[in-house]
């Protein structure tokens, strides 16, 4: 089953890191990435851009574009991973491995249902 692991952090803390501090965290995260890759379980992963550059589309019809963060929170989603894990426990272990590298981050783990054209939502949920 695929799981999304969303990485949350206080953005001002992350942007205050020196280039050396940032590189050290990224080097530690690379160790967790490498293990997931060796296990053949790491899918797409991304470091998201600045929350200040975010915008939200909401509302009826064509919707309205709202500049800025989409939610009022102290922590912002700053990145995500998609991992292939056999169980909830395996997904939690993957998130814990990432947290070892960046212990001040919060990791939200959610099952991912793939959308495949021509497949009904009910079929999609069965495959997830």
């Amino acid at each position: 089953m695929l799981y999304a692991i969303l990485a949350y952090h206080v953005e001002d803390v992350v942007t205050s890191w020196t280039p050396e501090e940032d590189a050290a965290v990224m080097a530690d995260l690379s160790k967790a990435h490498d293990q997931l890759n060796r296990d053949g379980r790491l899918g797409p992963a991304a470091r998201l851009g600045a929350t200040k550059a975010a915008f939200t589309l909401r509302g009826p019809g064509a919707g309205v574009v709202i500049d800025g963060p989409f939610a009022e929170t102290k922590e912002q989603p700053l990145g995500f991973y998609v991992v292939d894990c056999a169980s909830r426990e395996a997904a939690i272990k993957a998130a814990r491995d990432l947290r070892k590298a960046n212990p001040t981050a919060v990791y939200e783990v959610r099952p991912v249902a793939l959308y495949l054209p021509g497949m009904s939502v009910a079929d999609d949920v069965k495959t997830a």
Side-chain angles (χ1 to χ4, degrees):
M1 174 177 270
L2 295 179
Y3 288 86
I5 301 176
L6 292 83
Y8 289 82
H9 211 295
V10 178
E11 189 170 16
D12 289 341
V13 170
V14 173
T15 58
S16 73
W17 291 343
T18 65
E20 294 78 16
E21 290 170 323
D22 186 69
V25 170
M26 295 309 291
D28 286 343
L29 285 171
S30 288
K31 293 174 188 171
H33 300 173
D34 291 346
Q35 184 60 54
L36 288 166
N37 269 324
R38 282 192 297 277
D39 295 343
R41 298 186 304 130
L42 183 61
R47 191 174 199 180
L48 299 174
T51 301
K52 290 182 263 184
F55 58 90
T56 302
L57 176 65
R58 72 172 63 209
V64 175
V65 175
I66 303 166
D67 289 335
F70 55 87
E72 294 294 325
T73 64
K74 287 174 39 177
E75 300 161 340
Q76 295 79 34
L78 300 184
F80 68 89
Y81 302 85
V82 176
V83 295
D84 188 3
C85 297
S87 65
R88 178 179 187 270
E89 292 73 24
I92 292 169
K93 181 187 180 315
R96 284 187 171 141
D97 289 343
L98 294 167
R99 186 172 168 87
K100 284 178 194 171
N102 190 359
T104 58
V106 173
Y107 292 92
E108 177 183 346
V109 181
R110 292 190 198 181
V112 173
L114 292 176
Y115 168 73
L116 300 173
M119 179 181 264
S120 75
V121 173
D123 290 338
D124 189 35
V125 172
K126 289 177 197 169
T127 62

